[in-house]
């Protein structure tokens, strides 16, 4: 089985390395270019269709190494919808409400391919929560997928950030899926990891290409779908807690963004410069230093998830308290005092 895993990873990596330059040329041809200005921190036009390369690498590797079943077909169709919408948004820009409609539509597709959240396992509960075939279970599944789509989308603010975080998430999901012998989910996570590593050769700061909404929404959708396939259907405490913990940093950032915008009377869909990566840059961090710090924070959430999966909840709680304290400090605009940096002038 490990040989098959290795082939999946390498195929996805090689295809991503080949496909990313092609996606850059397509982006220039279609006009999918991110120009400097506004909330953007880059100083030259950057093509932003890298998500197309991630999508191609992931599914081509899966097509060759994966035994396709009803779940896989559902993921393929739903993710194809989400990538098509993302490509259109990268080229023309779609209003947030329209994007949300298509995100929900792509999530609903999974219902027709045997995806469900009929039970959720939580720590400290002897039995999982059962929903049978109720509307509650279907609504939770749609909320889960759409929520992860937007969570990853929020994290795509610095060169290499969303790709690196999702690479860490994919490796941890592989560990958990392999641990409970959910082999289809494990194989898909390595296809995702390989595609992301190949893409990061071009996306790590200074980036030559952005993944765009086509990439960030695809990643959130695939992570949401794989976690339902491999974890949420199990009767172990890996169920709901593990995916949430390994995505702890972008989930926290998104939560703070919603609260912040509500307190200001703004729409929660309105973009601003209050995200974690903006705070770090304003505190004097370079892009690379900020990205590495956020990789480290994501890895700490992953360590807490692994400790929890092994039943070592005290250790997991200690790690989480330390990481949350750091995140809250940064998000409450006190990073400069903590790190000793002077706040830079905004340009």
């Amino acid at each position: 089985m490990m040989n098959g895993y290795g082939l999946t990873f390498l195929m996805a990596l090689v295809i991503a390395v080949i496909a990313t330059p092609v996606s850059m040329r397509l982006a220039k041809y279609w006009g999918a270019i991110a120009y400097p200005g506004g909330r953007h921190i880059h100083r030259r036009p950057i093509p932003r269709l890298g998500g197309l390369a991630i999508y191609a690498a992931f599914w081509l590797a899966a097509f060759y190494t994966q035994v396709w079943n009803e779940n896989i077909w559902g993921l393929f169709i739903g993710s194809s919808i989400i990538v098509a919408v993302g490509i259109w948004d990268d080229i023309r820009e779609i209003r947030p409400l329209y994007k949300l409609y298509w995100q929900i539509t792509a999530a609903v597709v999974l219902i027709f391919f045997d995806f469900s959240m009929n039970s959720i396992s939580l720590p400290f509960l002897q039995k999982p929560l059962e929903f049978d075939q109720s509307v509650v279970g279907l609504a939770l599944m749609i909320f889960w997928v759409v929520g992860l789509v937007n969570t990853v989308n929020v994290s795509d603010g610095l060169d290499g950030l969303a790709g690196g975080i999702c690479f860490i998430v994919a490796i941890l999901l592989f560990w958990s899926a392999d641990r409970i012998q959910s082999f289809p989910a494990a194989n898909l996570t390595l296809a995702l990891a390989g595609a992301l590593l190949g893409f990061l050769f071009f996306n790590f700061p200074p980036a030559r290409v952005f993944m765009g909404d086509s990439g960030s929404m695809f990643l959130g959708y695939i992570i949401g779908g794989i976690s339902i396939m491999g974890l949420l259907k199990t009767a172990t405490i890996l169920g709901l807690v593990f995916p949430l913990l390994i995505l702890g940093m972008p989930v926290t950032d998104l939560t703070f963004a919603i609260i912040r915008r509500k307190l200001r009377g703004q729409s929660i869909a309105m973009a601003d410069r209050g995200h974690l990566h903006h705070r770090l840059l304003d505190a004097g961090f370079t892009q690379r230093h900020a990205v590495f710090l956020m990789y480290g924070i994501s890895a700490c959430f992953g360590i807490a998830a692994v400790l929890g999966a092994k039943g070592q909840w005290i250790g997991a709680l200690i790690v989480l308290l330390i990481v949350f304290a750091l995140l809250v400090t940064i998000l409450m605009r006190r990073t400069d005092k903590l790190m000793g940096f002077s706040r830079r002038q905004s340009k």
Side-chain angles (χ1 to χ4, degrees), residues 239-322:
L240 181 65
V241 176
F242 195 89
L244 278 178
L245 279 181
I246 59 179
L247 284 161
M249 191 190 69
V251 167
T252 303
D253 196 13
L254 179 60
T255 302
F256 266 79
I258 292 172
I259 295 171
R260 180 175 65 248
R261 292 164 190 172
K262 277 294 184 182
L263 290 176
R264 293 176 180 173
Q266 299 174 333
S267 166
I268 61 174
M270 181 178 290
D272 59 23
R273 275 190 56 87
H275 291 294
L276 179 60
H277 53 273
H278 292 130
R279 306 286 197 215
L280 293 173
L281 293 176
D282 291 342
F285 284 85
T286 66
Q287 274 208 66
R288 284 198 172 196
H289 290 158
V291 167
F292 278 126
L293 176 59
M294 295 174 77
Y295 285 174
I297 293 172
S298 292
C300 287
F301 273 109
I303 291 170
V306 170
L307 290 173
K310 292 184 174 182
Q312 300 174 20
W313 286 104
I314 294 178
L317 185 60
I318 292 172
V319 174
L320 285 176
L321 288 175
I322 294 172

Side-chain angles (χ1 to χ4, degrees), residues 56 66 139 145 172 180 202 261 272 281 313 330:
Q66 188 81 36
V145 174
L172 289 165
I180 60 175
F202 303 88
R261 292 164 190 172
D272 59 23
L281 293 176
W313 286 104
I330 295 171

Side-chain angles (χ1 to χ4, degrees), residues 199-247:
F199 172 72
L200 282 170
F201 289 144
F202 303 88
N203 182 240
F204 194 76
R208 288 177 279 167
V209 62
F210 295 154
M211 67 171 62
D213 276 11
S214 57
S216 60
M217 292 200 302
F218 170 75
L219 293 175
Y221 188 88
I222 288 297
I223 289 170
I226 291 175
S227 63
I228 294 173
M229 283 177 55
L231 300 180
L232 297 183
K233 289 185 177 181
T234 71
T236 74
I237 59 171
L238 288 172
L240 181 65
V241 176
F242 195 89
L244 278 178
L245 279 181
I246 59 179
L247 284 161

Side-chain angles (χ1 to χ4, degrees), residues 8-233:
T8 300
F9 179 83
L10 288 175
M11 279 192 66
L13 189 154
V14 171
I15 294 170
V17 169
I18 295 170
T20 301
V22 176
S23 73
M24 294 165 66
R25 294 189 186 95
L26 286 174
K28 293 175 182 177
Y29 180 77
W30 289 335
I33 305 294
Y35 292 97
R39 296 182 306 113
H40 302 297
I41 61 175
H42 58 281
R43 299 183 178 181
R44 58 186 177 86
I46 304 289
R48 57 178 179 186
L49 268 188
L52 189 57
I54 298 171
Y55 167 86
F58 175 83
W59 281 118
L60 286 173
F63 180 79
Y64 186 79
T65 64
Q66 188 81 36
V67 176
W68 283 52
N69 56 26
E70 193 174 13
N71 282 167
I72 307 298
W73 278 110
L75 269 182
F76 175 71
I77 294 171
S79 67
S80 297
I81 293 172
I82 213 81
V83 167
V85 174
I87 290 172
W88 188 251
D89 188 49
D90 289 335
I91 297 172
R92 294 290 182 88
E93 293 193 6
I94 302 174
R95 291 165 63 181
L97 194 60
Y98 291 160
K99 276 200 292 189
L100 179 61
Y101 168 80
W102 285 108
Q103 289 168 4
I104 294 172
T105 299
V108 169
V109 166
L110 298 178
I111 296 174
F112 301 98
F113 291 88
D114 198 32
F115 278 81
S116 64
M117 286 179 66
N118 298 332
S119 65
I120 294 177
S121 302
L122 295 171
F124 313 120
L125 293 181
Q126 294 182 346
K127 295 182 178 180
L129 299 176
E130 300 287 347
F131 301 111
D132 297 323
Q133 293 293 332
S134 68
V135 174
V136 175
L138 297 178
L140 278 174
M141 188 192 75
I142 294 170
F143 179 79
W144 174 262
V145 174
V146 173
L148 289 188
V149 166
N150 288 284
T151 296
V152 176
N153 187 252
V154 163
S155 72
D156 185 26
L158 291 180
D159 298 355
L161 182 57
I165 290 173
C166 289
F167 176 80
I168 295 170
V169 169
I171 294 299
L172 289 165
L173 282 177
F174 166 74
W175 175 85
S176 59
D178 185 64
R179 186 170 184 258
I180 60 175
Q181 298 185 339
S182 180
F183 299 125
N187 195 55
L188 287 178
T189 56
L190 281 195
L192 187 62
L196 285 168
L197 186 59
F199 172 72
L200 282 170
F201 289 144
F202 303 88
N203 182 240
F204 194 76
R208 288 177 279 167
V209 62
F210 295 154
M211 67 171 62
D213 276 11
S214 57
S216 60
M217 292 200 302
F218 170 75
L219 293 175
Y221 188 88
I222 288 297
I223 289 170
I226 291 175
S227 63
I228 294 173
M229 283 177 55
L231 300 180
L232 297 183
K233 289 185 177 181

